[in-house]
Amino acid sequence: EVDAWLDGIFKDGGTVFKDYSGHTMKMYYMERGAGASNIHMRFNLAPYTAGEVLLEKEVSGTETTDSGMLFPFQIFYKDSTTSYVYQPVTGDFSVTDSQDASVPISYAASATVNGMTYEHVFYLKPGQIASIKLPREETEYYIVECGQDTGTYDKVTINGTENEGTAATKDGYRDYKTAETTVSGQKKVIYDNHVSNYSG
């Protein structure tokens, strides 16, 4: 049981945490009591809010990106039921810009993406990071990037791993889904769409 638990948080049975995972650190500091006691600490660990998942959009294979580019995503999570839902629920679910929690990420209840219809779509620009607030650290979720043109993007990676995607309802387009996981199991998700060098 211990080995299985360690394999769940460390890379290849080692002592390095898995990428994009979240952890809690506890520190105990004892004062001498009579004075001259001090402590100085510095970390490069990224702070996270409980129940928060960061979703980042990147585009590679090109030196320039159109500032008007928008990439559509659906966010599914399990609420108190046993099935996944993807409609925003007041109080339990919100998606905002990670730099300013008062700015919501662009959203459409129904959207047409490359001629296909998707429900409850959030849009990210290249370089933008969304802060997804889910109810609890144990909340299960997954994310789908919708209707990407395989002629434009020859490769899509999620957290550095190439994702084959699944065929969309229109030929030549694919949807790219993350693995189902919990907030504590995956605190950050980075989608990178690589621009094809095909010029035909």
Side-chain angles (χ1 to χ4, degrees):
E1 288 183 20
V2 172
D3 287 341
W5 181 78
L6 291 173
D7 288 343
I9 61 174
F10 292 116
K11 289 182 179 180
D12 302 322
T15 57
V16 176
F17 288 128
K18 288 185 175 179
D19 294 339
Y20 313 105
S21 58
H23 307 277
T24 299
M25 181 170 62
K26 294 181 180 179
M27 295 178 296
Y28 298 88
Y29 170 64
M30 298 183 66
E31 287 279 353
R32 291 176 56 194
S37 295
N38 54 66
I39 185 171
H40 176 81
M41 292 183 290
R42 184 171 64 183
F43 298 97
N44 63 353
L45 303 175
Y48 288 103
T49 303
E52 179 186 49
V53 173
L54 296 179
L55 171 61
E56 183 173 352
K57 181 67 224 165
E58 294 182 351
V59 176
S60 61
T62 179
E63 294 182 5
T64 60
T65 56
D66 182 353
S67 60
M69 292 175 72
L70 292 172
F71 291 85
F73 289 89
Q74 291 175 311
I75 302 164
F76 296 79
Y77 73 100
K78 282 188 180 179
D79 60 2
S80 57
T81 68
T82 56
S83 59
Y84 281 96
V85 295
Y86 55 91
Q87 57 271 22
V89 179
T90 304
D92 283 344
F93 180 88
S94 66
V95 185
T96 58
D97 192 292
S98 69
Q99 298 300 309
D100 186 347
S102 67
V103 178
I105 293 293
S106 297
Y107 167 77
S110 180
T112 300
V113 178
N114 292 320
M116 298 168 288
T117 301
Y118 292 87
E119 303 300 317
H120 303 290
V121 172
F122 293 88
Y123 292 97
L124 268 71
K125 300 175 184 177
Q128 189 172 30
I129 302 174
S131 170
I132 304 166
K133 298 296 188 347
L134 293 166
R136 295 168 297 280
E137 287 287 290
E138 298 77 27
T139 300
E140 297 176 52
Y141 78 94
Y142 65 88
I143 298 170
V144 178
E145 184 176 31
C146 308
Q148 294 304 295
D149 182 358
T150 56
T152 302
Y153 305 107
D154 58 7
K155 181 171 65 173
V156 173
T157 60
I158 302 175
N159 287 352
T161 301
E162 187 169 351
N163 187 294
E164 294 297 321
T166 57
T169 57
K170 184 177 176 182
D171 288 344
Y173 295 86
R174 298 185 78 77
D175 299 328
Y176 297 91
K177 175 188 170 184
T178 66
E180 297 174 11
T181 185
T182 61
V183 174
S184 60
Q186 188 90 325
K187 301 289 284 183
K188 188 169 186 178
V189 178
I190 301 174
Y191 273 82
D192 179 16
N193 292 27
H194 185 270
V195 177
S196 173
N197 59 11
Y198 173 75
S199 57

